[in-house]
Amino acid sequence: MTPDEFRRHGHALIDWIAKYFETVEQYPVLPAVKPGDLVRALPPSAPEHAEAFEAVIGDLERLILPAATHWNHPGFFAYFAITGSAPGVLMELVSAALNQQAMVWRTSPAATELEEVTLRWLARLMHLPDQVEGVIYDTASISTMHALAAARDAAVPGVRARGLAGRPDVPELRVYCSEQAHSSVDKAVIALGLGQSALCRIPVDLSFRMRVGELQDAIREDREAGRWPVAVVATVGTTSSTSVDDVAAIATICQREAIWLHVDAAYAGVMAIVPEFEWMRAGFDLADSIVVNPHKWLFTPFDLSVLFTRRMETLLQAFSVTPEYLKTPEAAAARSLMDTGVQLGRRFRSLKLWAILRYFGAEGIRDRLREHVRLAQLVGAWVDANPDFERVAPVPFSVVCFRAVPRGVPADAASLDALNGRILDRVNTSGEVFLSHTKLDGKYVIRLAVGNLRTQEQHVRRAWDLITGALRVEAP
Amino acid sequence: MTPDEFRRHGHALIDWIAKYFETVEQYPVLPAVKPGDLVRALPPSAPEHAEAFEAVIGDLERLILPAATHWNHPGFFAYFAITGSAPGVLMELVSAALNQQAMVWRTSPAATELEEVTLRWLARLMHLPDQVEGVIYDTASISTMHALAAARDAAVPGVRARGLAGRPDVPELRVYCSEQAHSSVDKAVIALGLGQSALCRIPVDLSFRMRVGELQDAIREDREAGRWPVAVVATVGTTSSTSVDDVAAIATICQREAIWLHVDAAYAGVMAIVPEFEWMRAGFDLADSIVVNPHKWLFTPFDLSVLFTRRMETLLQAFSVTPEYLKTPEAAAARSLMDTGVQLGRRFRSLKLWAILRYFGAEGIRDRLREHVRLAQLVGAWVDANPDFERVAPVPFSVVCFRAVPRGVPADAASLDALNGRILDRVNTSGEVFLSHTKLDGKYVIRLAVGNLRTQEQHVRRAWDLITGALRVEAP
């Protein structure tokens, strides 16, 4: 494709995307397709001869959009709602064009150093200690895997060289997290060879926070049984209810016991930027590692996850491998991003985060985060004011967990679960909104997550109208 | 940013990129910056107030380009030269705008199903068996880690649940690869808890291919010593010399011994598309898994690595974890990409590969791959014809390994290594080209890797002139 053709197609796509952004609210949030529809609409083999690029662009409209879930829609309230903001989208374009592979400094000084600068900016905004260093990965799952790998390195002598198998000197290992911690912790202990049974899930209190006393008991029992604690994963903003573990208390235990403390703040971590949320960062300064995902609640197109750690040298010791063909004269003077984990090549992800921090400014970010919290608390208040509904968890951030419990309809637990499932289906079928569910205390619960910059009060109000309307249909 | 502002900035950036593509040859391939230059040029903290997006665009020109290594430059001959082709760049823009997170089918039917279709296309182009299924990851390192995790699951009973530590029933484990295999295999065995000493590196023959007899011996000795073989990694296109292991012979051993065979074809795998390279895919049909990187030699902007496997069910068994909040009604009818590995969210990477396969067509891809091989063989012929140089390895694909051995200059091994290091530095300092090095048979070797679509015969000729010119200066 010549530069002139690139101009022509590029301008066409910019206009196409601008129109999509303008009209996104007109699409159903969840597309009206069934499994296999797109597969059946496409040929079974690649074309032998070149096709016009116009044909590809045409298929975006004809085939891809109708099968896309509209994460950009202001009515997207499922999982964690996110924003791929326009400045971030444009910087992904630039990143793809520059095609940097930041394995070592010389393969991209720009990507290596802009990552350092941007993460320093973010760390300061979040009031993290100065000695914290950061690294960008793709997802929180990979960030947590690397954090726990570093913890494993700190806990198990010689694990990098000798591994875990066939070693009578290494007993069963343990990682602790709450019952509400994310499934990425399971995946990490599976991948790292600790095994899923190494994950000790500590019960939670009535606000879905880890019971710290039970953590202490579990550690003591494990030590008495000869098992080695490797790490504790505390969560600030759990996936189901956005509950916040008592990181400060957990940190005290971890310090006393010399156990790595990893904080999963993938969703809520960015709220540390907002002064009135100072309470949530108590203990952050004592954490060995913290994961926060700008692609969740910092307006950054997927993917960009940040791992901050006070113990970068342990992570580097765990993963540095430099074959001859990657030796460079700058290795002593500059970080080689390849040393920070499994991945050798790294995309130029910092570019979008850098642009976003500048485009919105700290002040603009704080304002927008506060507005999301305000909208969620508004929904929480509507739930509380409606006797046919109950709120099932506190609303510390931008997610509301609730369910219908209609008056005058005697119902067992299973019927209530089924009713709420039907309400959720009915609401989602409208195409105007998309909410998801979870279970809390064994109850089926509807979640409404605010996180998209396009979402305004009218959208959460419409969601609430759809929910109350669905209840009237399902339990008249 | 309003859609109109997005249009304005988007058009500006498309023009900026088009101009960059037009003028990329005018930049030094390696930038003239020192470690720390970019860090020092940027403020220590994020701005408090929003900045104009024009300021960010201006800094791309002022700060980022001068610190970027120009992987787009036709004189980029280092590592593996790659191409972020224009159709791929434009589809990354679309992917960022749509911001799909393909965790489960309903969070992006488009990304889930287009990945299936596109990988079926690629598998057919590569003549892989019909029963092979594929999954897209970010990098070959992550693909190989997942392949070896699946192999571990197949070899070690209960490893997902019980891990490797504190298990008297699990002895030391072994993974085999050649001395020339990539460092990502080391990282995988480290991450998976096997330990780096579990990696048994088999010696190579004079063409840098794994000595299959020695593999057989190592497996036998390990079994006799009570160690368990987990996997063999065969390489098709090693990083240093692009040598090709005898996959068919290795596959025979793996079948007999019931050991997982993973083929690292990250670089050279795409050549299976070209009929006259049928020889290199002997044994592919018997591999349990194969990694191939379209971001290396299939014109795809970084990142996009493909893992093909005949044993997808083993990979799924190793990694499927479905918490309540990710349960969906379509889980039985459609693949959930989250089940294929550590990462929960997945970018819409297939979009760019789909567009590239259509834009170039199978025929166009074959022509361009053949041209890269022709250019490399041309350089190989120039090396062979020059008595002051020696070629150090065969040239099966698009990489030439050689070094200066000037006539009439008696030199010990260390002096020759130093001489070639100085030649490489001098050539790279020109700014016109960027080559890298490796060691083969203990000798310092210069590598010239062809892989960029902008690279023409004039560029490899200029590289060769610079190399011979540097020799005349360094060893007059």
Side-chain angles (χ1 to χ4, degrees):
Chain A
M1 193 180 280
T2 66
D4 277 338
E5 287 167 332
F6 176 82
R7 271 191 196 91
R8 184 159 57 84
H9 298 309
H11 289 312
L13 280 173
I14 289 288
D15 289 338
W16 182 82
I17 291 168
K19 177 165 165 268
Y20 166 67
F21 285 162
E22 275 167 348
T23 58
V24 64
E25 211 166 332
Q26 298 168 19
Y27 293 89
V29 191
L30 275 180
V33 290
K34 293 197 171 47
D37 281 357
L38 182 60
V39 170
R40 283 186 291 271
L42 288 164
S45 300
E48 177 63 18
H49 304 293
E51 293 184 34
F53 197 66
E54 286 84 351
V56 178
I57 296 181
D59 280 352
L60 292 177
E61 187 77 31
R62 190 173 67 90
L63 294 171
I64 301 301
L65 270 196
T69 299
H70 295 285
W71 290 77
N72 292 295
H73 196 293
F76 191 107
F77 297 115
Y79 311 109
F80 288 119
I82 58 175
T83 310
S85 67
V89 169
L90 291 174
M91 285 301 129
E92 282 288 58
L93 166 66
V94 174
S95 170
L98 297 179
N99 209 22
Q100 303 291 284
Q101 290 225 30
M103 307 181 289
V104 294
W105 181 86
R106 71 159 49 187
T107 65
S108 182
T112 304
E113 298 197 11
L114 194 67
E115 177 161 328
E116 180 184 337
V117 169
T118 305
L119 296 190
R120 174 56 45 212
W121 288 10
L122 182 60
R124 288 189 174 179
L125 287 174
M126 291 176 61
H127 306 278
L128 298 179
D130 279 346
Q131 73 268 33
V132 159
E133 294 179 83
V135 55
I136 295 176
Y137 298 113
D138 51 350
T139 62
S141 302
I142 290 290
S143 290
T144 291
M145 184 189 84
H146 281 102
L148 295 186
R152 187 186 62 178
D153 230 63
V156 182
V159 69
R160 174 188 158 119
R162 296 169 57 211
L164 299 169
R167 289 185 62 177
D169 60 324
V170 180
E172 278 186 69
L173 304 174
R174 278 291 181 274
V175 171
Y176 309 86
C177 66
S178 90
E179 286 174 345
Q180 293 290 317
H182 190 258
S183 53
S184 58
V185 188
D186 293 81
K187 293 226 182 169
V189 294
I190 291 171
L192 296 172
L194 277 62
Q196 203 168 5
S197 61
L199 187 59
C200 177
R201 285 190 171 265
I202 307 291
V204 293
D205 65 17
L206 295 174
S207 296
F208 309 105
R209 301 146 43 103
M210 187 193 292
R211 291 184 185 274
V212 179
E214 299 212 23
L215 169 67
Q216 181 65 73
D217 293 346
I219 293 171
R220 193 189 57 245
E221 284 165 28
D222 282 329
R223 288 216 196 268
E224 284 169 6
R227 294 184 283 263
W228 287 357
V230 169
V232 177
V233 179
T235 310
V236 172
T238 56
T239 306
S240 281
S241 73
T242 73
S243 61
V244 178
D245 288 338
D246 186 344
V247 177
I250 295 169
T252 303
I253 294 172
C254 287
Q255 295 240 307
R256 190 171 59 228
E257 301 273 352
I259 303 175
W260 187 288
L261 172 58
H262 175 61
V263 175
D264 177 355
Y267 152 68
V270 295
M271 283 306 291
I273 296 176
V274 182
E276 57 269 35
F277 282 77
E278 186 182 355
W279 59 269
M280 63 161 269
R281 48 186 168 82
F284 274 24
D285 54 328
L286 298 175
D288 295 284
S289 55
I290 301 177
V291 56
V292 56
N293 279 9
H295 71 230
K296 281 205 172 66
W297 205 8
L298 198 49
F299 324 143
T300 307
F302 184 62
D303 50 8
L304 197 165
S305 175
V306 176
L307 183 69
F308 286 118
T309 179
R310 291 189 300 141
R311 300 173 70 176
M312 181 58 80
E313 76 290 350
T314 305
L315 183 64
L316 296 173
Q317 280 162 19
F319 283 107
S320 301
V321 176
T322 307
E324 180 65 31
Y325 46 81
L326 289 168
K327 287 183 180 164
T328 56
E330 304 89 2
R335 176 176 294 173
S336 297
L337 284 174
M338 67 175 185
D339 290 341
T340 58
V342 173
Q343 286 101 336
L344 169 57
R346 308 293 174 103
R347 283 206 304 137
F348 196 172
R349 291 189 180 91
S350 57
L351 198 58
K352 55 186 171 182
L353 182 55
W354 177 62
I356 284 164
L357 294 177
R358 295 179 64 183
Y359 178 80
F360 291 98
E363 178 187 51
I365 291 166
R366 287 192 290 261
D367 288 348
R368 287 164 175 87
L369 295 178
R370 285 185 182 114
E371 173 65 4
H372 285 165
V373 174
R374 185 187 76 82
L375 294 177
Q377 288 178 340
L378 200 57
V379 175
W382 295 335
V383 172
D384 291 345
N386 189 321
D388 290 332
F389 285 85
E390 68 175 8
R391 192 159 50 75
V392 184
V395 184
F397 302 114
S398 71
V399 175
V400 191
C401 294
F402 60 95
R403 61 177 197 153
V405 283
R407 286 164 299 175
V409 182
D412 56 24
S415 312
L416 273 182
D417 284 358
L419 170 66
N420 280 280
R422 291 198 308 275
I423 291 173
L424 184 63
D425 283 346
R426 181 171 292 275
V427 164
N428 286 344
T429 307
S430 75
E432 293 185 65
V433 296
F434 174 31
L435 287 74
S436 59
H437 82 285
T438 190
K439 283 192 176 172
L440 287 170
D441 265 343
K443 300 169 192 163
Y444 186 100
V445 170
I446 299 174
R447 289 171 78 262
L448 187 151
V450 181
N452 190 296
L453 288 181
R454 290 186 185 84
T455 300
Q456 300 171 343
E457 189 168 325
Q458 69 192 66
H459 300 107
V460 294
R461 184 168 295 280
R462 180 63 186 151
W464 183 242
D465 288 346
L466 286 166
I467 292 159
T468 52
L471 173 62
R472 281 193 297 274
V473 177
E474 294 292 345
Chain B
M1 192 179 279
T2 66
D4 275 339
E5 287 167 332
F6 176 82
R7 270 190 196 91
R8 183 159 58 84
H9 298 309
H11 288 312
L13 280 173
I14 290 288
D15 288 339
W16 182 81
I17 292 167
K19 177 166 163 269
Y20 167 67
F21 284 163
E22 274 167 348
T23 58
V24 64
E25 212 166 333
Q26 298 167 22
Y27 293 90
V29 192
L30 276 179
V33 290
K34 293 197 172 47
D37 281 356
L38 182 60
V39 170
R40 283 185 292 271
L42 288 164
S45 300
E48 176 62 19
H49 303 294
E51 293 185 32
F53 198 67
E54 286 84 351
V56 178
I57 296 182
D59 281 352
L60 292 177
E61 186 77 31
R62 189 173 67 91
L63 293 171
I64 302 301
L65 269 196
T69 298
H70 294 285
W71 290 77
N72 291 294
H73 196 294
F76 191 106
F77 297 116
Y79 312 110
F80 287 119
I82 59 176
T83 309
S85 67
V89 169
L90 291 174
M91 285 300 129
E92 282 287 58
L93 166 66
V94 174
S95 170
L98 296 180
N99 209 22
Q100 303 291 286
Q101 289 225 31
M103 307 182 288
V104 294
W105 182 85
R106 71 158 49 187
T107 65
S108 183
T112 304
E113 298 198 12
L114 194 68
E115 177 161 327
E116 180 184 336
V117 169
T118 306
L119 296 189
R120 174 58 42 213
W121 288 10
L122 182 60
R124 287 189 175 177
L125 286 175
M126 290 176 62
H127 306 278
L128 298 179
D130 279 345
Q131 74 267 35
V132 159
E133 293 179 83
V135 56
I136 295 177
Y137 298 113
D138 51 349
T139 62
S141 301
I142 290 291
S143 291
T144 291
M145 185 188 83
H146 280 103
L148 295 186
R152 188 186 62 178
D153 231 62
V156 181
V159 69
R160 174 188 157 118
R162 296 169 57 211
L164 300 169
R167 290 186 60 176
D169 60 323
V170 179
E172 280 185 67
L173 305 174
R174 278 290 180 276
V175 170
Y176 309 86
C177 67
S178 90
E179 287 174 343
Q180 293 290 317
H182 190 259
S183 53
S184 58
V185 189
D186 292 80
K187 294 228 181 169
V189 294
I190 291 170
L192 296 172
L194 277 62
Q196 203 168 6
S197 63
L199 188 58
C200 177
R201 285 189 170 268
I202 308 291
V204 294
D205 65 16
L206 295 175
S207 297
F208 308 105
R209 301 147 41 102
M210 187 192 292
R211 291 183 185 273
V212 179
E214 299 212 23
L215 170 67
Q216 182 64 75
D217 293 346
I219 293 170
R220 193 188 59 246
E221 284 165 27
D222 281 328
R223 287 216 195 268
E224 285 169 5
R227 293 182 285 262
W228 287 358
V230 169
V232 177
V233 180
T235 311
V236 172
T238 58
T239 305
S240 281
S241 73
T242 73
S243 61
V244 178
D245 287 338
D246 186 343
V247 177
I250 295 168
T252 303
I253 293 172
C254 288
Q255 295 241 306
R256 190 171 60 228
E257 301 272 352
I259 304 175
W260 187 288
L261 172 58
H262 175 60
V263 176
D264 177 356
Y267 153 68
V270 294
M271 283 306 291
I273 297 175
V274 182
E276 57 268 36
F277 282 76
E278 186 182 355
W279 59 269
M280 63 162 267
R281 50 185 168 84
F284 274 24
D285 54 327
L286 299 175
D288 295 284
S289 56
I290 301 177
V291 55
V292 57
N293 279 8
H295 72 229
K296 281 207 172 65
W297 204 7
L298 197 50
F299 324 143
T300 307
F302 184 61
D303 48 12
L304 197 165
S305 175
V306 176
L307 183 69
F308 286 118
T309 178
R310 290 190 300 140
R311 298 173 71 175
M312 182 58 79
E313 76 290 352
T314 306
L315 183 64
L316 296 174
Q317 280 161 20
F319 283 106
S320 301
V321 177
T322 307
E324 180 66 32
Y325 46 80
L326 289 168
K327 286 183 181 163
T328 57
E330 305 88 3
R335 177 176 294 173
S336 297
L337 284 173
M338 66 175 186
D339 290 341
T340 58
V342 173
Q343 285 101 336
L344 169 56
R346 307 295 174 102
R347 283 209 302 138
F348 197 173
R349 292 189 178 90
S350 58
L351 198 58
K352 55 186 170 181
L353 182 55
W354 177 62
I356 284 164
L357 294 176
R358 295 178 65 182
Y359 178 80
F360 291 99
E363 178 187 53
I365 291 166
R366 287 192 289 262
D367 288 350
R368 286 164 175 87
L369 295 178
R370 285 185 181 114
E371 173 65 4
H372 285 165
V373 174
R374 185 187 77 81
L375 293 177
Q377 289 178 338
L378 201 57
V379 175
W382 295 335
V383 171
D384 291 345
N386 188 320
D388 291 332
F389 285 85
E390 68 176 7
R391 190 161 50 75
V392 184
V395 184
F397 302 114
S398 71
V399 175
V400 191
C401 293
F402 60 93
R403 61 178 197 153
V405 283
R407 286 163 299 175
V409 182
D412 56 25
S415 312
L416 271 181
D417 284 356
L419 170 67
N420 280 280
R422 291 198 307 276
I423 291 172
L424 184 63
D425 284 345
R426 180 171 291 276
V427 164
N428 286 343
T429 307
S430 74
E432 293 184 66
V433 296
F434 174 31
L435 287 76
S436 58
H437 82 286
T438 190
K439 282 192 175 170
L440 287 170
D441 266 343
K443 300 169 191 163
Y444 186 100
V445 170
I446 299 173
R447 290 171 78 262
L448 187 150
V450 181
N452 189 296
L453 287 181
R454 291 186 183 83
T455 300
Q456 299 171 343
E457 188 167 327
Q458 70 193 66
H459 301 106
V460 294
R461 184 168 295 281
R462 179 63 185 154
W464 184 242
D465 288 348
L466 285 166
I467 292 160
T468 53
L471 172 61
R472 281 193 298 274
V473 177
E474 294 292 344

